[in-house]
Amino acid sequence: MPTRSITNVIVTGKSGAGKQPRIDVLVEEFGLEQLSTGNIFRSYLGKFNEYGYEGDLKEFWDESKERFIPDDEIAEKLGTSDNDIMLGMKAKYFVDKGLFVPDYITNELFESYFAKKNYRNQVLDGYPRTLQQAEFLLKLIERENSKIDFVLLVENSDEMIIERTVNRRICPKCGKVYHLVYNPPDNGRCRECGAEVVQRSDDTEEKIRSRLEEFRKKTVPALEYLEKHGIPVVKVPGHLEEFTPENVRKSVMDEVNKLL
Ligand SMILES: [Zn+2]
């Protein structure tokens, strides 16, 4: 049973720090929902794909102004003014080109999805990831008379994260996650379903180091901004000597309770 009432929480940390188990604790302890950027993108891209538009997305982009054409013109060309489908198109435009999605698009998608949740009762996961997103979020929260109670920062060293990530193997069939040393698959096969486990293409040392650098350069300033604006940052260890659900819960709740 939730002990205290929480409006919204942000969970952040380096990629691979171990956020998900901590998110699970907050969801359970406070009766919150997980709102992850990855799911938001999948949801809007899915709506656009379902709509089945066949044309070239280039026609929605104004080269001379380096931005999308006005929404009413987008609606006309698409044949729908459904906001979710239009947002899906905007996201897909960048994703298809393999381009980094600009903050204003991520903000637009986030705002629309957060609105569906009434701006409340969410564990924000993967957002805000940049200073511009953090500024946008605080304005939104103020406008909607909502609140971010605290940021939970899952701390972990670069070396620990690299060690964990390069040894990670995933079952492509059932999604079970293995570690070659601490939780090895059975002769390269999933112990649940027998499929051959694989290494994600993102789990190479070079890619991990670039994600770590991204966190330092972009996300750390966002966290500093939030803290400066009165949102407490609660730090919890991503690495535990003995990783059990009870230890994870305790390491999170001990710190959170100091604040509440
Ligand atoms: Zn499996």
Side-chain angles (χ1 to χ4, degrees):
M1 276 302 276
T3 44
R4 301 282 181 113
S5 157
I6 294 278
T7 311
N8 296 291
V9 183
I10 294 167
V11 174
T12 188
K14 297 167 186 168
S15 167
K19 291 188 283 287
Q20 191 59 50
R22 282 76 193 179
I23 291 171
D24 293 342
V25 169
L26 296 172
V27 163
E28 198 174 306
E29 290 285 330
F30 298 106
L32 303 170
E33 265 187 274
Q34 178 172 0
L35 183 61
S36 88
T37 322
N39 286 341
I40 294 176
F41 270 85
R42 273 188 287 280
S43 157
Y44 287 101
L45 288 172
K47 279 175 186 166
F48 179 73
N49 288 337
E50 247 170 59
Y51 181 64
Y53 183 74
E54 305 271 329
D56 191 333
L57 301 190
K58 266 199 310 214
E59 61 179 302
F60 299 105
W61 186 255
D62 185 337
E63 272 309 333
S64 65
K65 291 182 179 153
E66 288 186 21
R67 65 176 188 224
F68 287 110
I69 60 175
D71 278 356
D72 55 337
E73 290 175 33
I74 292 177
E76 200 174 315
K77 281 185 201 269
L78 269 183
T80 176
S81 58
D82 183 310
N83 196 47
D84 288 358
I85 294 171
M86 295 208 286
L87 284 173
M89 183 281 291
K90 291 177 183 177
K92 192 173 164 62
Y93 177 84
F94 293 100
V95 172
D96 273 7
K97 290 182 152 207
L99 293 173
F100 195 76
V101 181
D103 282 330
Y104 73 93
I105 297 293
T106 303
N107 287 341
E108 219 178 315
L109 262 67
F110 174 80
E111 178 179 3
S112 166
Y113 205 89
F114 200 29
K116 294 181 208 288
K117 304 291 181 179
N118 204 22
Y119 311 99
R120 275 158 184 81
N121 234 32
Q122 305 299 310
V123 179
L124 308 191
D125 162 28
Y127 187 93
R129 194 167 265 163
T130 66
L131 181 57
Q132 216 203 334
Q133 292 176 14
E135 291 168 350
F136 181 86
L137 175 63
L138 287 200
K139 277 191 206 129
L140 184 62
I141 287 287
E142 197 182 344
R143 189 190 83 198
E144 298 302 328
N145 203 15
S146 184
K147 190 180 174 189
I148 302 288
D149 293 79
F150 58 89
V151 174
L152 191 87
L153 172 61
V154 183
E155 293 189 304
N156 220 328
S157 71
D158 287 8
E159 293 322 304
M160 190 73 75
I161 287 171
I162 290 163
E163 197 275 337
R164 273 178 39 160
T165 317
V166 295
N167 285 307
R168 179 157 60 196
R169 295 294 180 274
I170 295 179
C171 171
K173 204 169 154 198
C174 73
K176 199 167 158 47
V177 181
Y178 294 93
H179 184 283
L180 291 182
V181 182
Y182 304 122
N183 178 25
D186 180 17
N187 261 324
R189 294 193 168 274
C190 177
R191 282 188 270 110
E192 296 287 324
C193 73
E196 202 167 328
V197 300
V198 296
Q199 181 173 29
R200 290 196 324 168
S201 61
D202 275 352
D203 286 351
T204 64
E205 182 164 345
E206 192 195 352
K207 289 193 174 169
I208 299 157
R209 287 202 186 273
S210 123
R211 291 200 295 272
L212 291 169
E213 188 56 23
E214 177 105 356
F215 181 81
R216 257 186 290 282
K217 276 187 1 211
K218 295 190 169 168
T219 309
V220 169
L223 299 179
E224 288 168 353
Y225 177 85
L226 295 172
E227 197 165 23
K228 209 174 79 190
H229 285 77
I231 300 176
V233 175
V234 178
K235 295 174 180 171
V236 298
H239 177 72
L240 297 173
E241 280 307 317
E242 209 188 332
F243 191 90
T244 64
E246 186 46 34
N247 285 352
V248 173
R249 199 194 68 82
K250 191 172 182 322
S251 71
V252 170
M253 292 311 292
D254 283 355
E255 293 307 312
V256 170
N257 283 329
K258 284 182 197 164
L259 191 77
L260 299 176

